[in-house]
């Protein structure tokens, strides 16, 4: 009885160890490809993507990848997270040196399917409105006096998305030297008096 | 405050049965009577809390330091299965009355996905409270496990109450048994949707 | 040959895991928010089911009766972990969407149920076919539920949108899962069950 259990466990352990070793490289590559694709999608073409760096502020630590052209940083892909309706909403935001948003992509999202999860549809108006979002406009949903059109019935998700983009822009501005400090709001995406919407 | 957020969220907003769909099989299986539903809820509550404590510690001090997170599934299910066995034996010796009440449900719990589900959730999911995302520490994980199983109990006992009434009614033949039960759960889930946005 | 064929076909109607055996309800309800998610979940379960059935039919004669449940759980958990690793490597998108419900295949009663009810007293080939049949039946049920919920909830099928507008959101969320499964069971009881 004991012998049999031991044998089965040994065989299973061997199988698992082997599989882990076999898939280690493909998993690493798959994760790398996802990251590369998300960075590539939010930056202009023909730039070289630098190594991961990070910058700290009151709002937390932000990881970013500088985009280099002719030896000079022209844009930044900033990883930015805000709290949405169902949990953390993590974005990759490409910001040009002058503070204009180039494009955004969703890294991870736990929003409600059919509602907030629509922020993952890359061709939708909600997503395309961020492309070329200028520094002259305000990165808040229209309900809060900004210029971002919210997803229907998903104000909290839209607010979190706008906040994440806005934080990323603040980081990029700091990196580009046009702002003294990183002016980011912390994760509280929902203003106190507006809780309970959506 | 964070404990309050975790508790409300686990019991009502993300109710394990009605929003996360974990532990549905025993939910449909033993909810014919309030008394069995209460017994099952008690047993689940006990095992979930205990299993979460053990698996959390195993993950923290055994799997993570050695980079063996990929073994979570197999390690956790073995821990849960043996834990259920131990609980059964200990209960039989120490408290025969409690064993009488919970005993018959214990073997069913190994394959209750709520237990494994909660154990995996507390070590992998980021929770949001106070405006930022965190991994749970041990205290929070225990509170989450306890609150989740209370939520399981509440949904289970409420549903058993509804089902007892259902039994006395003339239900069209193809609807009898599970179909009408599922449609009733759907209404309950709709009611629980009202809690979303609370935390 | 007819017998082998019927082993597979039984899984669709006579032994349909969702509508007749009512097993594996958790993934059935949770992952069918769209047709493609239902299909992926079904295929993931099929993979584990076939492999564990094969392994258990081979092991059954040499495993003492007293420890057969722990052995089965170890075997099933091993295949689930293999599946997790393979999915992370080659279909990371599906792995993220299905999330928690991939490791939870371990406690899916269908897998342990088939091991206990069929694989431990039948040959390798029959067990593999039984796993294939039940797995395909499960995949079919999940895909059908996914299609219905996707049409009603988002106005599309397999991501192809043919009804403009938002759809009835409740069908993508939890209540819709219970409702669709309930009504499908009614139809199944009325027309297919003898």
């Amino acid at each position: 009885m004991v012998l049999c259990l031991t044998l089965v466990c040994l065989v299973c352990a061997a199988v698992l160890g082997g599989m882990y070793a076999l898939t280690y490289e493909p998993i690493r590559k798959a994760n790398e490809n996802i990251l590369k694709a998300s960075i590539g999608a939010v930056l202009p073409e023909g730039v070289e993507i630098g190594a991961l760096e990070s910058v700290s502020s009151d709002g937390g630590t932000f990881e970013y990848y500088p985009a280099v052209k002719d030896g000079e940083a022209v844009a930044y892909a900033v990883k930015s997270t805000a709290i949405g309706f169902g949990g953390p909403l993590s974005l990759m935001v490409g910001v040009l040196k002058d503070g204009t948003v180039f494009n955004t992509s969703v890294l991870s999202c736990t929003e409600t399917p059919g509602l907030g999860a629509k922020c993952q549809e890359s061709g939708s108006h909600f997503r395309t409105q961020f492309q070329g979002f200028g520094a002259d406009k305000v990165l808040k949903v229209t309900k809060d006096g900004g210029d971002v059109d919210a997803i229907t019935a998903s104000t909290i998700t839209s607010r979190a998305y706008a906040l994440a983009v806005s934080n990323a822009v603040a980081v990029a501005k700091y990196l580009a030297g046009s702002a003294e400090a990183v002016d980011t709001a912390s994760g509280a995406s929902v203003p106190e008096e507006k809780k309970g919407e959506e | 405050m964070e404990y309050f957020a975790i508790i409300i969220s686990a019991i009502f907003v993300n109710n394990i049965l009605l929003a996360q769909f974990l532990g549905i099989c025993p939910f449909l299986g033993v909810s014919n009577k309030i008394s069995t539903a209460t017994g099952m809820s008690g047993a689940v509550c006990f095992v979930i809390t205990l299993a979460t404590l053990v698996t959390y510690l195993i993950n923290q001090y055994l799997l993570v330091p050695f980079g063996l997170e990929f073994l979570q599934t197999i390690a956790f299910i073995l821990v849960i299965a043996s834990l259920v066995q131990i609980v059964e034996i200990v209960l039989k010796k120490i408290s025969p009355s409690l064993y009488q009440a919970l005993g018959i449900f214990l073997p069913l719990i190994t394959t209750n996905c709520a237990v494994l589900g909660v154990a995996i959730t507390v070590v992998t999911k980021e929770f949001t409270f106070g405006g930022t995302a965190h991994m749970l520490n041990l205290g929070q994980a225990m509170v989450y496990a306890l609150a989740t199983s209370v939520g399981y109990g509440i949904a289970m006992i409420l549903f058993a109450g509804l089902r007892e009434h259902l039994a006395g009614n003339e239900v069209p033949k193809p609807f009898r048994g599970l179909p009408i039960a599922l449609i009733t759960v759907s209404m309950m889930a709709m009611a629980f949707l009202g809690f979303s946005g609370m935390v | 040959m007819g017998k082998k064929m019927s082993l597979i076909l039984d899984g669709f109607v006579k032994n349909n895991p969702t509508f007749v055996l009512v097993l594996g309800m958790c993934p059935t309800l949770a992952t069918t928010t769209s047709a493609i998610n239902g299909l992926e979940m079904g295929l993931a379960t099929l993979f584990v089911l076939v492999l564990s059935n094969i392994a258990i039919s081979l092991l059954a004669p040499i495993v003492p009766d007293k420890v057969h449940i722990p052995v089965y759980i170890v075997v099933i958990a091993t295949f689930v972990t293999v599946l997790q690793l393979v999915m992370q490597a080659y279909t990371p998108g599906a792995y993220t969407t299905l999330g928690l419900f991939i490791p939870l295949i371990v406690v899916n009663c269908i897998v342990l149920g088939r091991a206990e009810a069929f694989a431990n007293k039948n040959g390798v080939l029959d067990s593999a076919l039984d796993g294939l049949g039940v797995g395909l039946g499960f995949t079919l049920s999940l895909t059908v539920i996914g299609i219905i919920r996707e049409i009603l909830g988002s106005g599309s099928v397999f991501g192809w949108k043919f009804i403009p507008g938002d759809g009835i959101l409740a069908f993508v969320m939890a209540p819709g899962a219970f409702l669709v499964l309930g009504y499908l069971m009614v139809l199944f009881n009325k027309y297919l069950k003898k």
Side-chain angles (χ1 to χ4, degrees), chain A residues 56-192:
Chain A
S56 292
S57 79
D58 299 342
T61 305
F62 290 85
E63 293 181 336
Y64 68 94
Y65 298 84
V68 185
K69 199 172 187 181
D70 306 326
E72 201 186 341
V74 291
Y76 302 94
V78 184
K79 205 173 146 189
S80 180
T81 304
I83 308 301
F85 191 69
L89 175 66
S90 203
L91 306 182
M92 186 64 83
V93 185
V95 191
L96 302 181
K97 223 179 161 186
D98 61 356
T100 310
V101 178
F102 185 78
N103 204 351
T104 59
S105 71
V106 179
L107 292 176
S108 76
C109 157
T110 49
E111 301 303 287
T112 323
L115 282 170
K118 279 187 189 152
C119 70
Q120 289 165 294
E121 292 167 12
S122 56
S124 63
H125 168 69
F126 179 76
R127 286 285 293 275
T128 49
Q129 68 179 332
F130 287 105
Q131 291 170 15
F133 204 97
D136 52 323
K137 291 196 277 181
V138 183
L139 270 166
K140 279 183 177 167
V141 293
T142 43
K143 231 182 196 170
D144 301 342
D147 296 301
V148 174
D149 298 324
I151 302 170
T152 319
S154 306
T155 313
I156 293 177
T157 306
S158 311
R159 226 176 237 152
Y161 205 100
L163 177 78
V165 175
S166 149
N167 283 348
V169 170
V171 170
K173 274 185 180 161
Y174 168 74
L175 294 172
S178 59
E180 295 272 307
V182 187
D183 177 25
T184 54
S186 73
S189 61
V190 192
E192 275 305 313

Side-chain angles (χ1 to χ4, degrees), chain A residues 1 12 19 26 30 113-115 118, chain C residues 67 78 81 86 89-90 166 169 172:
Chain A
M1 199 170 88
C12 286
M19 272 317 279
L115 282 170
K118 279 187 189 152
Chain C
V67 291
T78 306
T81 309
V86 171
Y90 301 105
D166 271 344
L169 277 175
V172 182

Side-chain angles (χ1 to χ4, degrees), chain B residues 17-25 27-28 70-71 73-74 77-78 81 110-113 116-118 120-121 124 173-176 178-180 182-183 185-187 189-190 193, chain C residues 22-27 29-30 70 73-74 77-78 80-81 84-85 100-101 103-104 106-109 112 149 170 173-179 181-183 185-187 189-190:
Chain B
L17 277 167
L18 300 173
Q20 297 186 51
F21 306 106
L22 294 175
I24 302 283
C25 289
F27 175 61
L28 294 172
F70 77 104
L71 290 178
T73 314
I74 191 163
I77 189 66
L78 287 178
T110 311
T111 51
N112 183 339
C113 51
L116 184 60
V118 170
I120 296 179
T121 304
T124 51
K173 200 166 169 257
F175 281 85
R176 264 176 220 166
L178 273 184
I180 191 74
L182 282 168
I183 293 164
V185 185
S186 158
M187 303 298 150
M190 200 98 73
L193 269 190
Chain C
V22 201
L23 293 173
M25 285 293 110
C26 302
L29 292 161
I73 291 180
V74 171
T78 306
V80 170
T81 309
Q84 280 182 288
L85 291 169
L100 184 59
F101 288 90
L104 286 186
V106 179
V107 284
N108 188 329
C109 335
L112 198 59
R149 285 180 71 188
M173 298 199 218
F178 290 109
L179 201 65
L181 183 63
Y183 275 102
M185 259 182 203
V186 171
L187 292 177
N189 284 350
K190 196 156 167 57

